[in-house]
Amino acid sequence: MLLWTMGKNRLLLYALLGIMAFGLFPKLEAQDAPGSADLILLIDGSESVGAANFPLVSELAVQVIEGLAVGRDAIRVALVLYGADPEIQFFLNSYDNKQSVLSAIRGLEYPGGIESNLGAALEKVVDSLFGPDAGGRAAEGVPQALVVISAGESTDDVSQGERALKQASVYTFGIAAGDSATAQLEAIATDKSFVLSAPDVRTVASMGDQILPYINGVAERTIVIQTDFTEAFAVGKRDIIFLIDSSMGPTIINAVREFIKRFIDTMPIGPDQVQVGVAMFSTTPKSEINLNSYSSKESLSSALARIKPKPSAEVNIGAALDFVRTSMLRAESGSRIEDQVTQLVLLLTSKKSKDSVQQPAEALRQMGVLTLAAGSKAADEAELRQIVFDETLFFPMKDFRMLLRNPTNTNIISPLSTLTGVVVTEGPTETGPFVDVTTVHTQKVVRDIVFLVDGSTYVGNNLQRVRDFITGVVNRLDVRPERVRIGLMQFAEGQKNEFYLNTHNTKQDVLSAIAQLSLMGGRALNTGAALQYALANHFQPSAGSRREQGIQQVLVLITGGPSQDEVKRIADSVAIQGVLTFAVGAGQVKESFLKTVAFVENLAYYRRNFADLSSVVDEIMTPLITVVGETDQTVKEIGPPGPSGGERDVAFLIDGSDDVRGDFSYIRDFISKVIEPLDIGFNKVRVSVVQHSERPSPSFYLNTYQTKDEVLRAVNGLTLTGGRSLNTGAALTFMKNTILSPAYGSRSGENVPQFLIVLTGGRSRDSVREPAVALKTDGVVPFGVGVKNADPKQIEAISHNPSFAFNVKEFSQLNKVQERLKNYVNLPDQELKIVLEKVELDAAQRDIVFILDGSDDTRDTFKQMCQFVQRVVGKLNIGLSGDRVSLVQYSREPRAHFYLNTHATKQEVLNSIETLQHLGGNPLNTGRALDYTKKNMFIASSGSRLLDGVPQILVLVTGGRSQDDVRAPAAALKQDQIVPFSIGNQNADVIQLQAISYTPGHTLTVPQFDDLQTIEQKLLSYVKIVPRQPRRIPPTVTDAVQRDVVFLIDASDGTKESFLGMQNFVQTLVQKLNVAPNKDRVSVVQYSDDAAFDFLLNTHSSSDDVINNVKRLIHKGGRLRLTGAALQYIKDNLFTAAAGSRYLEGVTQFLILLSSGRSDDDIRGPVKALKDIGVISLSIGTTNADTLELQTISHQPNYFFISEFENILDVQDNIFALIEGVSYQPLPTMTSRVSGKRFI
């Protein structure tokens, strides 16, 4: 990509940095006034810097700020220190003047610490500092800049943070001390030239003057860079002119004509899509076909048949180029150059020009026209290189008849289909003269490529030739983490991983690993199983796949023999998942087999002998880097996929609120493009459209129109209904009950697939989860499309599964979504069934609790156990609407590290496991851990979806024999439809493991925990087929019962660590109550030095509201534990009519106290006051609590319980039994006696 600024008849290079490395510069008219930027300073505060050097780093930050124009409307500054955790020192909107920022920096204190987690810090910066709440002005067009100051390599993974920065278009700079820090910052920075490095921290401290030009360059808009990838999208609008040397003779002209016809057949021809023109020349040029002459493939092909050769000894290419510029690239001739549509000219000639080509070529280039040239025979290479826009766009050929031998594999097809160029004209500004900017997308190869190599005797002595082939391909690729990633595996009867997509970061490392490849051996091939294994293990985020970011996934199979297992169905499944499969074979494999495996037949390459594999390298390269797997039009010599002929009911629920008024034309166009390939008819595909804002408004029903023309006219005529807000949940219910019902044209009763496409640009005010579940339960397949302010979590909740949820920033980007939706909706019935079955397996909801042996015996192998869990988690579909994961560690006692609802993303789970510390201790009580897990983890308040029928799975990993009984807890788990898997090493008791497991077959063993990777796939395959259970009816209480229940929670400093356990206890008990205004009411009070209510008895009217607010409780803290004062506070402020108490109406009043120790004040007076008004008090204390005090507080001496708060759920059944069994009756004051019953 090149960008020029023209003024005063001079051609000036506009920016000095990042030009060839990064794609497009943004349009200048969209930018804010120069001089403003949002700057984040991210400073290493770990021991890599050191306490002695930290003042030097602080002084560097001071130097930087002193050289900037800091202010609310100029450059805003925020600062973060990082070590083990990132700590925000101040936000972008904390200070609005330079002096305040400088004072804050000079007051920084050195945090220290061994860890230096830059990855977590980068993610924190993106998540917390660039938003409007933190003072970020990205939405106003103000550039965002980050300066990282680092003195050592990060101790965590930085790739996620790096991607987040680039996706957010943040300008990232680095100041590094030492080689390791420099290398890492160069990978993170927007460009390597944006990193300043020095040998040590003392030298770094003097670099303020060097970094200032970069920051000011961003603020003043002299550095403007935008990353852009072009190869993974379908063909966009473009005007293409073929400029043909007519002197080449009939045979060559016929070949060129046929090449153009075949090219046209692969393009979406039309006035709003691709337009094609043709000009011929010898000494004089002539227009044969203008860009607007024909609007269909058929008419274009007919016109091409009429072009004829014209013998001539000389050609004037310069005159021909001028003719194209002045006569054909004009609006009246059909050119859309004024509409910023890409303009391409392909010159095909076999002679040297008689006239000069330099000025005509330059004139085209200055217009923003992308010129390509193909030359044969006597064509002058230097002359043609002078003509083309970029030297890579020159294509020498021996004979143009080569174009017909394999047209889809010639290098010409790719740039004609993928190159895009835009001309942007901007008027004068205060800062400079008239600017004419040409921006061009040059091709960038960004792919994940996995080689799947036959490691059997079918390859045998030909291994070196296979290595040479792979090396030849890799050598031509730009291998690095942000461009092309390479993975490699072998297969025979089984599979063997060589390296993953994220194993090697440089081409040299990849080539070295390939050179060391040795055959795994084997006499038979299971190619189908190998394809499945590659999909499940290599094309996953944990293995380095960027599939979720839209990066094309490529699989290259290299094989020498037939497969003994079924392949076609699995190859189809791989293709449906968007993986592009190339099949390369030699020896005993059949060519027909390769064509079956390949994504399309053109991507199969057969050679009789392995010695000929080297000839495949040239042939495979262009499709390897240009073909995309999401649409057929790139790889086949026909247009878009035709109608499948299957019956479908397709309903659109679109945002009709005022917020999308300016973008409504994009929504109309989106609907039209999605339904365009469908075979619409009353007995085929039916379509409905509904708008919604506060309420739904049908535009037309499934049975309103019977032809495609009628539907398209109705869509084109849609007008916005308007409305201030969105109630998408109510609209989903309307779709289920009305639109997708037989009365309005739905054929669900006839087993016709039901599709719902929901498109919204904002967040719904009401809940979408329950209506979406109801739709899915009825067999509807919903897709969610979120734009702008839509909530991604709501979009995911609406969708059939997370892979059916799409989010884009702007409505203009909907074209990225429509192709994928078309492919899904238009799939033939059988393929649709395969996709949905695959989705059910891979994206089904599961609740999985891992229990890890943390005893002394596993101290040396605990890291391997954690890594095993991380690898398994990496292959799950983690999300609140997908798979949920929890982890418990145990030895003598169990400990929950995180619950099923603690983490909402895969990265959060992986990070949490990464920080896990070994528990230690003996003896090993597996039975107690199983019982604890059932009562504490597989419950709704901990995130379990047991009542919804979601599979409940327990994975135990243990390295020893349990010292307590495991049979009874295991039986209780199975009775509750929880499916346990047991994994043990050689020290575990296999009989115990089999007793724990759901069936003996659910027991997996390994010699050592180093070998856990050998059973990963088997465990995952078992986990994925655990079936859903029927929805369960939650336990309810008798409707006639009314209770007022107040929880009084000890929130003094000593309970901070156990506060989560108390929250879980309250949530679990509330689930057993029937919370409603006329049923049970609940309140929560925390106390320490004083007491304060979190909510009153009349605050919340449902169990869900109470539970959600309990989850959000913040530990109060306080040095003292004044239980007496808290009881008095309860009596005076909670058990009153104003607070919602109904004691005057005879409703039973309950107080449940959770205390961790003896009160620091007298409790007797407040206890008597509560008993005088009939309050039933129950007490729960830890082993540190005073038993006599608990008995004194309790309604009866035996109404108290002793339990550590980590295990508090153990006593919940006893508590609830007492609540259930007690009814209101005025009671006299009771004296305390130490005769209580302890429930332990």
Side-chain angles (χ1 to χ4, degrees):
M1 192 289 307
L2 299 176
L3 183 150
W4 292 274
T5 301
M6 296 188 302
K8 300 181 181 179
N9 299 317
R10 290 186 301 157
L11 192 67
L12 301 176
L13 189 63
Y14 181 68
L16 300 176
L17 300 168
I19 289 176
M20 293 307 295
F22 287 93
L24 274 182
F25 286 74
K27 297 180 184 178
L28 297 183
E29 72 268 24
Q31 294 176 359
D32 201 353
S36 59
D38 293 339
L39 171 66
I40 313 294
L41 298 177
L42 180 57
I43 299 175
D44 186 346
S46 72
E47 289 182 5
S48 299
V49 171
N53 291 324
F54 188 72
L56 299 175
V57 175
S58 300
E59 185 56 32
L60 169 63
V62 168
Q63 291 174 27
V64 171
I65 300 305
E66 285 179 336
L68 299 175
V70 176
R72 184 163 296 279
D73 298 319
I75 297 177
R76 296 184 182 179
V77 181
L79 190 144
V80 180
L81 293 177
Y82 74 93
D85 298 300
E87 296 179 7
I88 298 172
Q89 303 300 307
F90 52 87
F91 294 87
L92 290 166
N93 52 7
S94 297
Y95 306 117
D96 57 7
N97 62 78
K98 183 184 294 188
Q99 197 53 48
S100 299
V101 172
L102 290 171
S103 297
I105 295 174
R106 289 181 175 126
L108 291 176
E109 294 183 2
Y110 172 61
I114 297 174
E115 292 183 71
S116 175
N117 292 330
L118 177 56
L122 295 175
E123 293 178 46
K124 182 75 170 180
V125 165
V126 175
D127 293 341
S128 304
L129 287 177
F130 287 123
D133 292 344
R137 297 168 289 175
E140 304 168 30
V142 174
Q144 318 282 285
L146 170 68
V147 176
V148 182
I149 304 172
S150 173
E153 190 170 1
S154 177
T155 52
D156 68 347
D157 180 29
V158 301
S159 59
Q160 189 82 4
E162 175 197 345
R163 284 194 296 271
L165 286 167
K166 289 176 180 174
Q167 288 170 1
S169 298
V170 175
Y171 296 76
T172 307
F173 304 90
I175 301 177
D179 293 340
S180 61
T182 301
Q184 190 166 63
L185 288 187
E186 284 180 347
I188 294 167
T190 305
D191 183 52
K192 288 183 179 180
S193 63
F194 287 3
V195 177
L196 307 177
S197 59
D200 53 49
V201 176
R202 292 182 179 277
T203 312
V204 162
S206 63
M207 289 186 163
D209 291 340
Q210 296 179 50
I211 196 69
L212 278 172
Y214 290 90
I215 301 171
N216 283 319
V218 172
E220 295 165 7
R221 313 306 194 265
T222 57
I223 296 176
V224 278
I225 297 172
Q226 174 183 333
T227 303
D228 189 54
F229 308 120
T230 62
E231 91 293 341
F233 297 102
V235 178
K237 289 183 181 181
R238 59 197 54 241
D239 293 338
I240 305 173
I241 292 177
F242 293 90
L243 181 57
I244 306 169
D245 177 352
S246 61
S247 71
M248 293 189 292
T251 303
I252 300 301
I253 293 295
N254 287 340
V256 170
R257 181 197 296 124
E258 185 60 28
F259 164 72
I260 298 173
K261 284 177 67 176
R262 294 185 186 181
F263 174 76
I264 288 169
D265 284 341
T266 68
M267 294 291 107
I269 300 297
D272 295 322
Q273 295 176 300
V274 177
Q275 295 186 150
V276 172
V278 177
M280 300 189 74
F281 70 95
S282 53
T283 52
T284 57
K286 178 187 176 184
S287 172
E288 301 289 344
I289 301 172
N290 274 326
L291 290 166
N292 57 1
S293 296
Y294 305 102
S295 59
S296 69
K297 297 179 183 182
E298 294 76 17
S299 55
L300 258 177
S301 295
S302 298
L304 277 170
R306 296 192 288 272
I307 68 172
K308 297 178 180 178
K310 180 182 176 182
S312 176
E314 297 176 340
V315 294
N316 290 322
I317 298 175
L321 294 172
D322 272 336
F323 175 80
V324 168
R325 178 175 59 84
T326 58
S327 299
M328 299 188 74
L329 296 178
R330 302 174 64 88
E332 57 266 31
S333 300
S335 171
R336 296 169 290 179
I337 193 168
E338 294 177 359
D339 299 328
Q340 301 180 12
V341 172
T342 304
Q343 308 288 292
L344 297 110
V345 174
L346 173 59
L347 167 68
L348 298 107
T349 184
S350 62
K351 292 184 175 68
K352 187 180 189 310
S353 180
K354 182 182 177 184
D355 62 354
S356 172
V357 301
Q358 184 177 356
Q359 290 301 324
E362 187 63 27
L364 282 170
R365 192 178 291 118
Q366 290 187 24
M367 281 179 67
V369 177
L370 310 182
T371 309
L372 302 80
S376 71
K377 297 185 178 177
D380 186 279
E381 179 175 337
E383 183 178 74
L384 295 183
R385 290 188 184 278
Q386 196 174 24
I387 291 170
V388 296
F389 186 84
D390 185 272
E391 287 201 359
T392 61
L393 303 180
F394 165 61
F395 307 98
M397 295 184 185
K398 291 182 179 179
D399 190 318
F400 281 132
R401 282 174 290 188
M402 291 173 60
L403 291 168
L404 298 182
R405 292 174 189 164
N406 203 348
T408 58
N409 283 348
T410 62
N411 291 333
I412 297 177
I413 295 294
S414 170
L416 283 177
S417 307
T418 60
L419 277 178
T420 60
V422 182
V423 177
V424 181
T425 303
E426 184 182 73
T429 66
E430 296 177 6
T431 58
F434 180 92
V435 178
D436 182 11
V437 180
T438 301
T439 60
V440 178
H441 302 236
T442 57
Q443 231 184 345
K444 294 190 185 302
V445 180
V446 184
R447 303 211 150 195
D448 294 338
I449 303 175
V450 176
F451 289 91
L452 176 57
V453 179
D454 178 345
S456 72
T457 53
Y458 286 112
V459 170
N461 296 330
N462 293 297
L463 175 61
Q464 185 56 49
R465 294 185 170 110
V466 171
R467 282 197 294 245
D468 290 345
F469 168 75
I470 302 173
T471 299
V473 172
V474 171
N475 264 324
R476 300 192 186 192
L477 297 170
D478 186 6
V479 178
R480 44 181 159 144
E482 65 272 24
R483 293 291 177 80
V484 178
R485 298 183 181 181
I486 303 292
L488 177 65
M489 62 171 284
Q490 288 189 67
F491 74 102
E493 292 172 283
Q495 304 87 32
K496 179 185 178 185
N497 286 322
E498 296 295 335
F499 55 85
Y500 292 101
L501 290 163
N502 56 3
T503 302
H504 300 303
N505 292 330
T506 68
K507 182 185 292 188
Q508 192 53 51
D509 288 345
V510 170
L511 293 174
S512 297
I514 294 168
Q516 295 170 23
L517 179 68
S518 59
L519 291 183
M520 63 185 288
R523 296 186 178 182
L525 295 173
N526 288 322
T527 310
L531 291 169
Q532 186 68 56
Y533 184 87
L535 188 64
N537 290 271
H538 280 264
F539 295 107
Q540 301 294 331
S542 58
S545 167
R546 295 166 290 176
R547 183 177 175 183
E548 295 176 358
Q549 301 161 39
I551 302 303
Q552 181 64 60
Q553 308 291 284
V554 179
L555 178 67
V556 181
L557 168 70
I558 307 167
T559 185
S563 176
Q564 68 176 5
D565 65 350
E566 202 275 324
V567 172
K568 185 179 187 306
R569 180 181 59 80
I570 298 170
D572 290 343
S573 175
V574 171
I576 288 169
Q577 294 295 309
V579 177
L580 197 63
T581 305
F582 291 73
V584 179
Q588 299 181 47
V589 68
K590 291 184 178 179
E591 186 172 7
S592 58
F593 172 78
L594 298 175
K595 290 180 177 180
T596 299
V597 176
F599 186 80
V600 290
E601 290 187 1
N602 285 352
L603 303 184
Y605 305 85
Y606 172 72
R607 296 293 185 270
R608 186 179 299 276
N609 301 306
F610 279 96
D612 298 327
L613 276 184
S614 58
S615 66
V616 178
V617 175
D618 288 332
E619 197 175 335
I620 201 174
M621 283 311 301
T622 296
L624 188 69
I625 64 175
T626 60
V627 173
V628 293
E630 292 182 354
T631 172
D632 288 343
Q633 58 187 216
T634 315
V635 295
K636 295 184 180 178
E637 297 180 21
I638 57 173
S644 66
E647 296 172 323
R648 303 279 188 279
D649 291 340
V650 183
F652 291 84
L653 175 61
I654 61 175
D655 189 335
S657 69
D658 294 335
D659 290 340
V660 302
R661 190 173 299 279
D663 296 304
F664 197 64
S665 60
Y666 288 113
I667 297 176
R668 282 196 301 258
D669 185 60
F670 169 80
I671 299 172
S672 298
K673 293 292 173 56
V674 172
I675 66 176
E676 182 260 333
L678 301 179
D679 189 10
I680 294 176
F682 199 71
N683 294 320
K684 293 188 177 179
V685 179
R686 298 182 184 179
V687 178
S688 169
V689 175
V690 176
Q691 296 186 50
H692 79 290
S693 51
E694 288 92 351
R695 61 188 60 83
S697 174
S699 298
F700 54 89
Y701 299 94
L702 290 167
N703 53 7
T704 302
Y705 300 117
Q706 299 190 20
T707 69
K708 181 182 288 189
D709 287 343
E710 289 175 328
V711 171
L712 288 173
R713 276 197 298 272
V715 171
N716 291 331
L718 289 175
T719 57
L720 189 76
T721 57
R724 294 183 179 180
S725 59
L726 293 172
N727 287 322
T728 308
L732 292 171
T733 300
F734 176 81
M735 299 301 289
K736 174 182 178 293
N737 296 337
T738 305
I739 301 299
L740 297 173
S741 68
Y744 291 91
S746 170
R747 295 166 290 174
S748 58
E750 304 167 34
N751 292 321
V752 172
Q754 307 285 289
F755 290 98
L756 172 62
I757 298 171
V758 182
L759 190 156
T760 177
R763 193 179 192 282
S764 177
R765 291 192 313 171
D766 61 354
S767 173
V768 300
R769 183 180 179 278
E770 293 78 12
V773 168
L775 278 163
K776 298 170 201 175
T777 304
D778 271 9
V780 178
V781 180
F783 297 82
V785 182
V787 192
K788 283 191 173 179
N789 300 317
D791 184 337
K793 289 185 178 179
Q794 287 188 339
I795 296 299
E796 182 175 314
I798 290 168
S799 303
H800 182 272
N801 67 85
S803 67
F804 284 14
F806 308 91
N807 291 279
V808 293
K809 290 183 178 179
E810 300 294 337
F811 282 94
S812 59
Q813 298 172 328
L814 283 172
N815 61 314
K816 297 179 182 178
V817 177
Q818 66 200 28
E819 286 296 330
R820 297 182 68 180
L821 282 178
K822 278 198 298 190
N823 287 346
Y824 281 126
V825 177
N826 200 36
L827 279 174
D829 289 348
Q830 193 56 38
E831 290 187 26
L832 175 64
K833 183 179 179 183
I834 292 171
V835 169
L836 295 179
E837 287 175 351
K838 176 71 174 170
V839 160
E840 286 298 326
L841 280 179
D842 285 349
Q845 296 173 317
R846 290 167 284 252
D847 293 340
I848 305 174
V849 179
F850 290 90
I851 306 180
L852 301 186
D853 178 347
S855 66
D856 292 340
D857 293 337
T858 63
R859 187 176 302 280
D860 295 336
T861 56
F862 189 67
K863 188 66 175 176
Q864 288 94 313
M865 296 162 69
C866 293
Q867 290 170 343
F868 165 72
V869 178
Q870 286 179 306
R871 291 193 298 270
V872 173
V873 168
K875 293 167 187 173
L876 297 173
N877 180 34
I878 302 296
L880 293 178
S881 299
D883 296 327
R884 297 183 183 179
V885 172
S886 170
L887 192 141
V888 173
Q889 190 184 167
Y890 79 102
S891 54
R892 184 179 68 85
E893 298 291 339
R895 176 186 294 176
H897 286 284
F898 54 90
Y899 296 87
L900 290 165
N901 54 4
T902 302
H903 300 306
T905 68
K906 182 178 294 185
Q907 196 57 49
E908 289 174 357
V909 174
L910 294 173
N911 290 344
S912 186
I913 298 170
E914 188 67 32
T915 60
L916 212 57
Q917 298 296 315
H918 186 256
L919 183 63
N922 274 315
L924 188 66
N925 291 330
T926 307
R928 180 160 182 76
L930 296 173
D931 184 57
Y932 172 87
T933 300
K934 177 183 179 296
K935 292 176 178 177
N936 292 268
M937 314 308 283
F938 289 112
I939 56 175
S941 60
S942 295
S944 168
R945 294 163 291 180
L946 182 72
L947 298 178
D948 295 330
V950 173
Q952 307 290 288
I953 298 166
L954 182 152
V955 179
L956 169 70
V957 185
T958 184
R961 188 179 192 282
S962 177
Q963 300 304 304
D964 64 353
D965 177 54
V966 300
R967 293 182 181 274
L973 285 164
K974 298 170 197 175
Q975 188 175 1
D976 220 3
Q977 298 302 313
I978 296 166
V979 179
F981 293 84
S982 301
I983 300 171
N985 65 5
Q986 62 185 6
N987 298 322
D989 186 319
V990 175
I991 302 300
Q992 277 191 346
L993 296 183
Q994 290 180 336
I996 293 167
S997 299
Y998 194 70
T999 71
H1002 287 68
T1003 301
L1004 304 170
T1005 58
V1006 291
Q1008 304 290 340
F1009 284 137
D1010 289 343
D1011 304 312
L1012 282 169
Q1013 62 185 15
T1014 63
I1015 53 103
E1016 277 173 32
Q1017 193 56 41
K1018 192 170 186 179
L1019 174 67
L1020 280 164
S1021 64
Y1022 281 157
V1023 164
K1024 288 185 177 181
I1025 59 173
V1026 175
R1028 288 184 72 92
Q1029 298 295 322
R1031 290 174 66 86
R1032 307 188 193 185
I1033 301 172
T1036 58
V1037 296
T1038 308
D1039 286 348
V1041 175
Q1042 294 179 311
R1043 290 167 289 228
D1044 293 341
V1045 183
V1046 176
F1047 291 89
L1048 178 59
I1049 301 175
D1050 178 353
S1052 58
D1053 291 339
T1055 64
K1056 186 173 184 179
E1057 296 298 322
S1058 55
F1059 190 68
L1060 181 60
M1062 293 191 272
Q1063 285 175 285
N1064 283 330
F1065 170 78
V1066 176
Q1067 293 173 60
T1068 306
L1069 201 55
V1070 168
Q1071 284 181 329
K1072 297 175 180 289
L1073 300 174
N1074 187 16
V1075 178
N1078 296 320
K1079 305 291 174 56
D1080 296 330
R1081 297 183 181 179
V1082 175
S1083 170
V1084 172
V1085 176
Q1086 293 186 58
Y1087 79 99
S1088 54
D1089 303 311
D1090 58 3
F1093 68 84
D1094 289 289
F1095 51 87
L1096 301 170
L1097 289 163
N1098 54 8
T1099 302
H1100 301 302
S1101 57
S1102 72
S1103 295
D1104 284 346
D1105 287 343
V1106 172
I1107 289 169
N1108 288 334
N1109 278 274
V1110 172
K1111 286 180 181 177
R1112 291 195 286 266
L1113 291 180
I1114 298 173
H1115 185 258
K1116 182 176 183 298
R1119 187 172 57 85
L1120 300 175
R1121 185 183 300 105
L1122 301 179
T1123 310
L1127 294 171
Q1128 189 64 47
Y1129 175 87
I1130 294 283
K1131 192 259 179 192
D1132 295 340
N1133 295 279
L1134 272 297
F1135 290 120
T1136 64
S1141 170
R1142 296 165 293 178
Y1143 81 98
L1144 296 175
E1145 303 166 33
V1147 174
T1148 310
Q1149 309 289 286
F1150 286 96
L1151 170 65
I1152 301 175
L1153 168 68
L1154 288 79
S1155 174
S1156 67
R1158 182 178 177 81
S1159 176
D1160 292 314
D1161 64 350
D1162 184 28
I1163 63 165
R1164 288 172 294 181
V1167 167
K1168 181 178 184 301
L1170 286 168
K1171 291 182 177 179
D1172 283 345
I1173 62 170
V1175 174
I1176 310 295
S1177 299
L1178 301 92
S1179 304
I1180 305 171
T1182 66
T1183 51
N1184 296 324
D1186 186 304
T1187 303
L1188 180 59
E1189 186 174 83
L1190 293 178
Q1191 290 179 311
T1192 302
I1193 293 170
S1194 300
H1195 173 63
Q1196 296 279 8
N1198 61 339
Y1199 280 21
F1200 80 94
F1201 306 87
I1202 298 295
S1203 172
E1204 297 303 324
F1205 289 137
E1206 289 84 357
N1207 305 321
I1208 194 171
L1209 293 181
D1210 293 351
V1211 302
Q1212 66 176 349
D1213 291 337
N1214 296 320
I1215 292 278
F1216 188 68
L1218 286 175
I1219 294 173
E1220 283 278 83
V1222 174
S1223 61
Y1224 174 80
Q1225 51 182 330
L1227 295 168
T1229 303
M1230 301 188 68
T1231 20
S1232 310
R1233 292 175 302 185
V1234 187
S1235 58
K1237 181 180 180 183
R1238 299 174 67 127
F1239 293 82
I1240 300 176

